[in-house]
């Protein structure tokens, strides 16, 4: 911010497009938390890009007044990876749902954690495929029996985003709750300031297909310990929890790819990055 600039309020980071999320949907809170974080950091709108896949949650970029890309189901992370590699001066934030990020996009999640490109990923986890009318998702409880496609529940242990992020090498892992957008905004600020891939699982209640999630407001509580940089302690904390403790769990920076890793080896940063990504995505 320059000396004469009037500070931007959170609402000024929103677009004029009225969200079509259901009344009471917690995705509104995630939008509010993101714009509060932008205002707290006074980021210039032209220096922020929000990248999404497909889903109710993935509509979020349209509701902001920053650069955005509403992409293909499950592919927010490769797009965000490419952008963050090509334009390292930008603040890149990928957003999307639990279906988008952990089912069709699950493979990209593992490799984004492992690769450690400098961007933020906010997975808006409502434990359901909201947009397609309420099918079970990877994070649905095993006995969640509201979907006609799984009348006895999925009967599978839910995907554990924080544990999988840790095992895959993510350096910043947090769990936020939409019922507390101020705490979520603070976590987003910390995630943006973290040098590397930063993952936030944002518990975001789906009022339409999972009305029982309204109980989360009585269940979610803060982690009773500060973030750790020790992966063993983090694993114990994650596995010893029922998935409803919120806060930054793990913080352990390591060299970002490609800026620090490839520069250190004296290779051309963009050229090498494009070459490696092309091989991986078979371009
Ligand atoms: C390749 C492809 N497969 C399937 C779909 C159908 N589809 C659209 S959104 C969606 C799931 C959305 O769930 P989630 O990512 O959890 O977001 P939410 O709507 O719950 O916020 C699916 C399966 C699609 N659009 N594209
Ligand atoms: Mg969902």
């Amino acid at each position: 911010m320059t000396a004469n600039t009037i500070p931007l309020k959170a609402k000024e980071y929103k677009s004029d497009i009225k969200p079509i999320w259901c009344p009471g949907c917690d995705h509104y809170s995630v939008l509010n938390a993101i714009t509060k974080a932008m205002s707290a950091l006074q980021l210039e709108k032209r220096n922020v890009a929000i990248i999404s896949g497909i889903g109710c949650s993935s509509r979020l970029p349209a509701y902001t007044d920053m650069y955005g890309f509403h992409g293909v189901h499950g592919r927010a992370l490769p797009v965000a990876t490419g952008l963050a590699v090509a334009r390292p001066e930008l603040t890149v934030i990928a957003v999307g749902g639990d279906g988008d990020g952990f089912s069709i996009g699950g493979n990209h999640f593992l490799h984004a954690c492992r690769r450690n490109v400098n961007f933020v990923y906010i997975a808006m986890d409502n434990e359901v495929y909201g947009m397609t009318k309420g099918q079970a998702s990877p994070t649905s409880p095993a006995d969640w029996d509201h979907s006609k496609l799984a009348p006895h529940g999925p009967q599978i242990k839910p995907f554990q985003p924080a544990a999988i992020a840790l095992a895959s090498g993510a350096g910043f892992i947090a769990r936020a709750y939409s019922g507390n957008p101020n705490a979520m905004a603070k976590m987003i600020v910390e995630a943006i300031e973290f040098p590397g891939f930063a993952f936030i699982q944002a518990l975001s209640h789906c009022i339409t297909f999972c009305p029982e999630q309204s109980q989360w407001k009585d269940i979610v509580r803060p982690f009773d310990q500060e973030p750790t940089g020790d992966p063993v302690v983090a694993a114990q904390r994650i596995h010893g929890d029922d998935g409803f403790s919120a806060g930054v769990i793990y913080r352990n920076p390591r060299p970002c790819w490609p800026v620090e890793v490839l520069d250190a080896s004296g290779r051309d940063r963009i050229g090498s990055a494009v070459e490696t990504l092309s091989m991986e995505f078979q371009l």
Side-chain angles (χ1 to χ4, degrees):
M1 187 172 53
T2 56
N4 295 325
T5 315
I6 300 167
L8 286 173
K9 297 189 178 112
K11 66 178 182 192
E12 291 173 278
Y13 288 90
K14 289 185 185 170
S15 69
D16 295 333
I17 299 173
K18 192 171 160 359
I20 58 165
W21 291 320
C22 304
C25 173
D26 265 352
H27 293 348
Y28 286 98
S29 299
V30 181
L31 174 63
N32 288 338
I34 290 174
T35 56
K36 279 180 190 201
M38 299 296 113
S39 176
L41 291 167
Q42 284 298 300
L43 294 180
E44 282 195 56
K45 294 179 186 183
R46 62 179 181 160
N47 288 335
V48 184
I50 308 204
I51 311 296
S52 69
I54 296 289
C56 298
S57 37
S58 291
R59 291 181 178 275
L60 191 143
Y63 305 142
T64 75
D65 192 26
M66 294 166 276
Y67 283 108
F69 186 83
H70 187 187
V72 182
H73 193 39
R75 311 301 171 207
L77 296 183
V79 174
T81 298
L83 181 59
V85 165
R87 296 284 309 277
E89 75 282 12
L90 297 181
T91 296
V92 178
I93 303 175
V95 298
D98 41 303
D100 189 269
F102 306 143
S103 190
I104 190 168
N107 182 35
H108 299 306
F109 179 52
L110 305 182
H111 293 287
C113 295
R114 184 173 77 85
R115 180 172 291 110
N116 200 35
V117 171
N118 185 25
F119 69 92
V120 175
Y121 175 37
I122 304 172
M124 298 157 69
D125 187 0
N126 55 11
E127 302 181 347
V128 71
Y129 286 9
M131 176 169 269
T132 46
K133 308 260 179 280
Q135 298 83 10
S137 87
T139 52
S140 301
D143 60 354
W144 184 75
D145 59 3
H146 298 208
S147 165
K148 288 185 189 138
L149 293 179
H152 306 293
Q155 300 294 332
I156 313 170
K157 183 176 155 54
F159 189 92
Q160 305 290 312
I164 289 165
L166 182 70
S168 307
F172 181 103
I173 302 168
R175 184 180 300 125
Y177 170 50
S178 292
N180 192 345
N182 288 338
M184 189 187 293
K186 188 166 170 284
M187 268 182 239
I188 295 170
V189 167
E190 288 178 45
I192 290 172
E193 289 179 337
F194 180 78
F197 179 75
F199 169 61
I200 300 176
Q201 178 194 9
L203 298 173
S204 187
H205 163 210
C206 174
I207 193 164
T208 300
F209 297 109
C210 309
E212 69 283 1
Q213 291 170 348
S214 60
Q215 294 167 6
W216 286 356
K217 67 179 180 319
D218 304 318
I219 301 171
V220 177
R221 68 275 161 182
F223 269 108
D224 53 11
Q225 286 145 314
E226 291 297 302
T228 179
D230 182 336
V232 177
V233 175
Q236 285 167 339
R237 205 171 282 176
I238 291 167
H239 288 291
D241 186 64
D242 61 359
F244 290 104
S245 295
V248 179
I249 304 166
Y250 182 64
R251 197 182 181 290
N252 188 0
R254 62 186 167 87
C256 284
W257 193 90
V259 182
E260 294 160 25
V261 177
L262 295 185
D263 280 359
S265 68
R267 298 164 71 197
D268 166 62
R269 184 174 64 79
I270 300 289
S272 304
V274 169
E275 190 183 300
T276 312
L277 289 173
S278 301
M279 282 191 314
E280 183 170 316
F281 299 131
Q282 299 181 340
L283 298 175

